[in-house]
Amino acid sequence: MRLAMIDKIFDPASFEQRWYAHWEGEGRFRPARPDAQPFTIVIPPPNVTGSLHIGHALDNTLQDILIRWHRLNGRDARWVVGTDHAGIATQMVVERRLAEAQQPGRTALGREKFLEKVWAWKDESGGTITGQLRRLGASCDWANERFTMDEGFNRAVLKVFVELYNQKLLYRDKRLVNWDPKLKTAISDLEVETREVAGSFTHIRYPLADGSGHVIVATTRPETMLGDTCVAVHPDDERYTAMVGKLIAHPITGRRIPIIADDWADPELGSGAVKITPAHDFNDWQVYERNKDIGWINILDEEARICAADGVPADYVGLSREDARRQVVADLEALELIERIEQKTIQMPYGDRSGVVIEPWLTDQWYVNAAELAKDALAAVQDGRTQFVPKNWEKTYFNWMENIQPWCVSRQLWWGHRIPAWYGPDGQVFVAETEAEAQAQAGDLALIRDDDVLDTWFSSALWPFGTLGWPEQTTDLARHYPGDVLVTGFDIIFFWVARMMMQGMHFMDGVPPFKTVYCHGLVRDAKGQKMSKTKGNTVDPLVLIDKYGADALRFTLTAMETQGRDIKLSESRIEGYRNFATKLWNAARFAQSNGIAGSTSPLPPAAAQPVNRWIIGEVRSTARALEQAIADFRFDAYADAIYRLVWSRFCDWYLELIKPLLAEGADAAVAAETRAVAGWALDQILVMLHPVMPFITEELWSKLAIRDDLILAQWVATDALPEDAAASADIDWLIGLISEVRSARTEVNVPPSAKLAYAVEGASAETLARLAANAAVIERLARILPGEVAPGGRLQVVHGEATIFVPIGDVVDLAAEKSRLDKALAAAIKERDALAGRLGNPGFTDKAKPEAVEKAREDHAARSAEAERLAAALARLG
């Protein structure tokens, strides 16, 4: 079979999807390796409604690098994949589609018919994001794809609910929740977004019931005073000591409410007195928990309208929150009880899907005793069984777990895992996995099933073991639990990571679900701004893939993924790494056109030529660096090391240095050795680059030799590679000399074509020997050759202990060049010092926007480097 030639033009679109279809169709993502050590990652399941965004691209690129690297190292690498049913999001999508099609809505259809519509939508449109993950190159175990509402996973969810209930770790209670009055359901904290809006602080005089005076309180929501049950002051606030225990005559409801002492009141904030509305404020509810005698009053219904409650005037009932707010202020003004109203920017919680203000609302919901489950999950991180990378995220995890609140797991939706609880005529609760089991518990009682479904975080908390067949004790479960690594954004440590830890340890005999949790940062725009649709600064990864190829996007995200820092993504960086891929492509074309083919062995050919021994050493040191980078989760270091090998060592230097060895008339044995070593080195580059850039590497691999796919190749045989310190020293010396001469020539504008003589002073015998041995290469690449050099008008290049003198008076106007460099140096120093002064001013560093301070630091570093470069150039002129 004859090998195809590498195309002249690098066009990722011509082969990326072709290779992905081949890999998936041939089962390359999960080769049969029953005797190999497993390596397991579970994907954070994307919402079935979702589309690939740039955060997904980062998250899944990092996971794919780990999976592909361990696959190359012979592991049974399994990337567990699937999607989340996304309760609220999916229900909204289907309801919107029904409305757009002018079909009957959810309530008109009824539960059963509506759910049929949802399943039909899921089957038709729910695979969008999985197709997009394929475009990115994610080598998941698609043959075993899961869905959080498939039959097996549904059984796991119901079993967990029932077991937690029977263990008294799950119960029904009346507590405050984030209530979405548009969707009419409780939502999680992650589904609440805080916005800055124009608002006001209304300062109200609350009259004492005995007529002796009043207390001033301030609020952003005057309508909630209809549900006030007390006013709190700090126990140490001497202004109010005598008032504690007195009653206030509520000016609108007529209720008598007490003044109590509680630490929640801040003496430094406003008047130091605060109104307490337990049923409509999370902090106020905590005050109630400490002072149960004050009671609570719910003044809102599920649509956030004022309802009939103790003392609420009839003309308020049915008003919206906004109308009630205006009515309260008007009534208080009529009573001359408004002290003042301040217009201020305030923080308000909004539902991220509904777009309406979220209401803290008191309602009956199902809760998990998270504090009890958190104990083992906390210990697993404390004793190192699970480690966070970067380690600082452990503090975040500890802080949340040590202060964890009961977890509300019920949602007032139809799409999701329906809660397996049935109610008798008198409210008796029967919890069981099936209706038949519940009926057996209830006897002859007529039962009605709970209408609510479970929070999607409840089911996704089971992902690490539910996807592997639990509650059945499957071979998969025994082999792939716990997972090795979880890669995730730091923003869902609370919502997902902690809950997987709790459920995993509780149901898997105390074994945490993963050994390492790697938390990456956010992808921001080029200016460091958070991406959002409202700012118009979002980027579509699929558009970037279409424009630059998936490999370029993957390499960019990898190179910029520095532990503990967010990514500032600019399209110019992606373009730059597309150029990197083009350079590799052209290098492979050069190799192929010069008779260099792929290697047949992971071990290098025997090499006598120093340049060939040098490139073998470069491969060895790079492989070592990459292995360490994977061990340390330093994705940026991985990208930096392989970039340096490909761009600088192999393309810029090795291929240039071996051209004479391959030229017509060169020694045949030397040429054969060089072709063999070059082919082997290029193969190792493709292997090492493959985890980051899988498509281009597989395409080139297939064009250089007839062999099995690169995705199943063997990692570099690092331990078996020879180390040749002498060859490394000789070639590194040569590269350093040529680089310094080229740089010096460029700095003082020596014409590139000018071939100049040089003299050397202070050179050791070893240096003189190196100059002589490499004279032809130095002449070809540095454009200098040994000769007579008169004093004066000389360029000085110091390399090691030797000084190279190059006469340039005949090709450069020395006086003009010195003048130009003097002026440029003075300007660079002036700008450097001005930036240093700004950065040394706390008025700037403390008050300016963080991105402005960061920009000033970057500019200062750039001007400092420029000043050093120009000073060095002047010094070279003498």
Side-chain angles (χ1 to χ4, degrees):
M1 182 177 177
R2 190 175 178 181
L3 286 170
M5 296 300 291
I6 299 171
D7 292 342
K8 183 177 180 180
I9 304 298
F10 170 58
D11 177 19
S14 69
F15 57 82
E16 286 190 346
Q17 293 191 57
R18 167 169 52 83
W19 272 115
Y20 198 94
H22 168 79
W23 290 329
E24 186 175 358
E26 296 297 322
R28 298 295 195 248
F29 298 150
R30 188 84 193 288
R33 293 176 176 174
D35 299 325
Q37 182 183 358
F39 177 82
T40 309
I41 292 180
V42 294
I43 197 171
N47 285 351
V48 71
T49 57
S51 294
L52 191 74
H53 59 62
I54 199 67
H56 287 135
L58 169 64
D59 196 76
N60 288 284
T61 293
L62 302 182
Q63 292 174 77
D64 197 40
I65 289 170
L66 294 173
I67 285 290
R68 288 179 183 270
W69 190 87
H70 284 90
R71 190 185 291 124
L72 290 169
N73 278 271
R75 301 281 291 274
D76 176 18
R78 182 174 184 184
W79 189 0
V80 178
V81 68
T83 50
D84 190 285
H85 63 279
I88 293 178
T90 304
Q91 184 161 313
M92 285 184 67
V93 166
V94 176
E95 288 196 71
R96 191 182 307 122
R97 283 190 58 171
L98 292 173
E100 289 169 354
Q102 297 184 329
Q103 294 181 7
R106 174 170 63 94
T107 53
L109 284 170
R111 188 172 196 133
E112 186 175 342
K113 292 290 185 184
F114 176 73
L115 292 179
E116 289 176 4
K117 296 281 188 183
V118 181
W119 278 107
W121 174 87
K122 188 264 179 188
D123 293 339
E124 174 191 338
S125 306
T128 299
I129 195 163
T130 58
Q132 293 168 338
L133 286 172
R134 288 173 166 89
R135 288 287 310 278
L136 185 67
S139 57
C140 306
D141 183 17
W142 296 110
N144 294 291
E145 183 179 354
R146 300 302 303 269
F147 178 54
T148 52
M149 281 185 61
D150 66 33
E151 185 177 348
F153 208 89
N154 186 62
R155 185 184 166 209
V157 172
L158 297 180
K159 185 173 181 64
V160 165
F161 186 97
V162 173
E163 288 198 11
L164 289 175
Y165 178 81
N166 291 336
Q167 294 163 6
K168 302 192 184 310
L169 292 171
L170 188 148
Y171 55 90
R172 194 161 172 81
D173 195 9
K174 187 182 288 290
R175 296 177 61 89
L176 279 186
V177 297
N178 296 312
W179 185 259
D180 190 313
K182 181 177 180 180
L183 301 179
K184 299 179 186 177
T185 181
I187 62 174
S188 72
D189 290 342
L190 191 63
E191 294 158 321
V192 178
E193 60 180 37
T194 301
R195 302 179 191 172
E196 287 190 346
V197 298
S200 61
F201 274 93
T202 303
H203 297 258
I204 306 168
R205 290 190 290 269
Y206 275 34
L208 295 172
D210 62 9
S212 62
H214 62 261
V215 175
I216 296 176
V217 300
T219 179
T220 59
R221 301 187 58 199
E223 73 278 9
T224 62
M225 73 179 294
L226 299 173
D228 286 353
T229 60
C230 74
V231 169
V233 297
H234 196 276
D236 299 331
D237 193 337
E238 296 178 356
R239 294 173 297 174
Y240 297 108
T241 302
M243 289 189 183
V244 173
K246 287 191 172 187
L247 296 177
I248 284 171
H250 195 287
I252 293 180
T253 67
R255 289 192 295 269
R256 295 293 191 263
I257 60 175
I259 298 174
I260 68 167
D262 190 272
D263 289 340
W264 169 240
D266 183 354
E268 304 298 321
L269 187 62
S271 68
V274 58
K275 58 186 283 304
I276 301 298
T277 316
H280 300 288
D281 184 281
F282 288 104
N283 293 310
D284 291 2
W285 181 260
Q286 294 303 313
V287 175
Y288 161 74
E289 292 280 11
R290 294 188 293 270
N291 304 272
K292 290 292 183 73
D293 290 345
I294 65 174
W296 52 264
I297 300 170
N298 193 349
I299 63 164
L300 297 173
D301 63 17
E302 64 178 8
E303 294 181 339
R305 294 183 176 277
I306 303 296
C307 61
D310 179 26
V312 175
D315 56 349
Y316 277 88
V317 175
L319 293 181
S320 68
R321 292 171 292 182
E322 297 75 19
D323 288 342
R325 185 175 308 151
R326 287 186 283 270
Q327 187 63 51
V328 165
V329 171
D331 288 349
L332 291 174
E333 285 177 334
L335 295 169
E336 298 184 346
L337 294 177
I338 297 291
E339 180 78 9
R340 68 183 187 281
I341 297 176
E342 297 177 82
Q343 301 304 317
K344 285 192 175 183
T345 299
I346 61 174
Q347 305 281 327
M348 289 293 285
Y350 282 79
D352 66 348
R353 300 189 185 281
S354 66
V356 302
V357 175
I358 296 305
E359 189 65 47
W361 198 49
L362 196 58
T363 180
D364 292 310
Q365 302 284 349
W366 287 93
Y367 290 89
V368 169
N369 185 346
E372 186 61 34
L373 292 179
K375 292 176 182 177
D376 288 341
L378 193 58
V381 178
Q382 290 170 333
D383 63 27
R385 283 175 287 163
T386 296
Q387 297 185 354
F388 277 77
V389 179
K391 195 172 180 62
N392 61 286
W393 289 115
E394 290 182 1
K395 294 180 182 178
T396 303
Y397 177 83
F398 292 151
N399 182 61
W400 193 71
M401 293 295 254
E402 288 165 355
N403 298 281
I404 199 165
Q405 298 296 309
W407 173 18
C408 176
V409 296
S410 47
R411 296 292 183 265
Q412 289 62 57
L413 303 169
W414 285 358
W415 173 245
H417 300 279
R418 193 169 180 181
I419 289 174
W422 285 260
Y423 301 98
D426 297 324
Q428 310 99 307
V429 181
F430 301 94
V431 172
E433 291 185 45
T434 66
E435 185 172 5
E437 292 173 3
Q439 194 65 64
Q441 296 176 29
D444 294 333
L445 294 177
L447 298 181
I448 297 176
R449 188 169 184 175
D450 196 312
D451 278 331
D452 293 349
V453 300
L454 286 163
D455 174 19
T456 53
W457 295 109
F458 185 90
S459 51
S460 60
L462 318 184
W463 192 245
F465 56 94
T467 51
L468 299 174
W470 189 92
E472 301 299 326
Q473 297 304 306
T474 64
T475 302
D476 269 357
L477 186 63
R479 183 166 176 77
H480 292 284
Y481 185 95
D484 291 86
V485 184
L486 175 74
V487 177
T488 186
F490 67 84
D491 51 337
I492 56 172
I493 290 175
F494 311 142
F495 303 100
W496 191 46
V497 179
R499 286 160 180 170
M500 284 190 292
M501 289 289 290
M502 290 190 291
Q503 299 285 44
M505 296 199 67
H506 189 74
F507 288 97
M508 293 300 295
D509 300 321
V511 178
F514 7 76
K515 299 159 191 171
T516 302
V517 178
Y518 180 81
C519 297
H520 57 75
L522 300 176
V523 183
R524 298 179 179 272
D525 71 9
K527 297 179 181 179
Q529 296 285 328
K530 189 172 181 178
M531 291 187 184
S532 70
K533 291 179 181 178
T534 54
K535 291 179 182 175
N537 63 347
T538 58
V539 293
D540 184 343
L542 294 175
V543 171
L544 296 174
I545 289 171
D546 288 340
K547 191 171 183 180
Y548 301 106
D551 285 332
L553 176 60
R554 288 169 61 110
F555 200 99
T556 304
L557 295 170
T558 306
M560 301 185 76
E561 171 52 26
T562 303
Q563 286 183 15
R565 300 187 66 180
D566 290 342
I567 289 174
K568 294 181 183 178
L569 184 67
S570 66
E571 195 166 331
S572 62
R573 288 291 294 267
I574 306 170
E575 183 178 11
Y577 290 124
R578 193 270 315 276
N579 295 341
F580 167 71
T582 302
K583 191 176 183 81
L584 174 63
W585 186 269
N586 290 334
R589 288 187 66 243
F590 169 84
Q592 191 181 60
S593 66
N594 282 274
I596 297 169
S599 176
T600 57
S601 169
L603 298 178
Q609 295 299 307
V611 69
N612 289 331
R613 301 202 308 273
W614 169 77
I615 196 64
I616 292 170
E618 289 295 307
V619 168
R620 181 183 185 276
S621 61
T622 300
R624 282 262 185 257
L626 299 183
E627 289 160 5
Q628 190 61 52
I630 289 292
D632 295 340
F633 295 95
R634 285 294 308 276
F635 296 96
D636 56 337
Y638 194 106
D640 289 346
I642 191 63
Y643 184 95
R644 177 179 179 273
L645 176 65
V646 174
W647 189 286
S648 172
R649 314 312 271 174
F650 187 78
C651 294
D652 281 355
W653 290 110
Y654 181 68
L655 294 184
E656 281 299 322
L657 292 173
I658 67 172
K659 282 179 180 178
L661 306 184
L662 302 174
E664 186 176 350
D667 183 280
V670 170
E673 172 195 307
T674 302
R675 286 191 176 92
V677 171
W680 174 86
L682 181 54
D683 270 0
Q684 305 315 302
I685 282 172
L686 297 178
V687 169
M688 292 186 285
L689 182 58
H690 178 76
V692 186
M693 290 183 136
F695 293 110
I696 184 176
T697 52
E698 188 74 84
E699 177 72 2
L700 294 176
W701 178 269
S702 73
K703 297 292 177 65
L704 292 172
I706 298 170
R707 51 196 168 177
D708 201 357
D709 296 343
L710 172 58
I711 192 174
L712 300 182
Q714 179 182 334
W715 181 254
V716 182
T718 318
D719 293 339
L721 300 186
E723 185 174 13
D724 193 325
S728 293
D730 285 346
I731 302 301
D732 286 342
W733 175 90
L734 176 62
I735 290 171
L737 173 65
I738 295 170
S739 299
E740 287 166 12
V741 172
R742 284 174 166 178
S743 176
R745 290 171 61 117
T746 301
E747 289 287 1
V748 296
N749 290 321
V750 174
S753 61
K755 187 176 289 189
L756 305 171
Y758 78 86
V760 61
E761 291 183 5
S764 64
E766 182 183 36
T767 296
L768 291 173
R770 283 171 169 169
L771 285 168
N774 294 288
V777 172
I778 293 170
E779 180 180 346
R780 182 167 64 90
L781 298 181
R783 309 292 289 170
I784 60 172
L785 66 165
E788 295 296 325
V789 177
R794 303 184 303 181
L795 184 65
Q796 302 175 26
V797 178
V798 178
H799 185 57
E801 85 290 349
T803 302
I804 306 291
F805 295 96
V806 182
I808 59 173
D810 293 340
V811 292
V812 171
D813 184 335
L814 290 172
E817 194 58 34
K818 283 185 177 181
S819 175
R820 180 187 71 81
L821 291 170
D822 276 328
K823 290 178 181 177
L825 176 59
I829 290 173
K830 181 179 179 181
E831 191 170 349
R832 177 199 68 190
D833 293 347
L835 287 162
R838 188 188 302 178
L839 290 167
N841 178 9
F844 172 70
T845 55
D846 294 345
K847 296 177 182 178
K849 292 182 177 180
E851 52 267 29
V853 177
E854 180 65 23
K855 177 69 165 53
R857 290 196 177 106
E858 291 172 358
D859 290 346
H860 178 261
R863 296 295 81 75
S864 297
E866 184 181 6
E868 290 178 12
R869 178 179 59 79
L870 292 167
L874 276 168
R876 289 193 187 104
L877 289 176

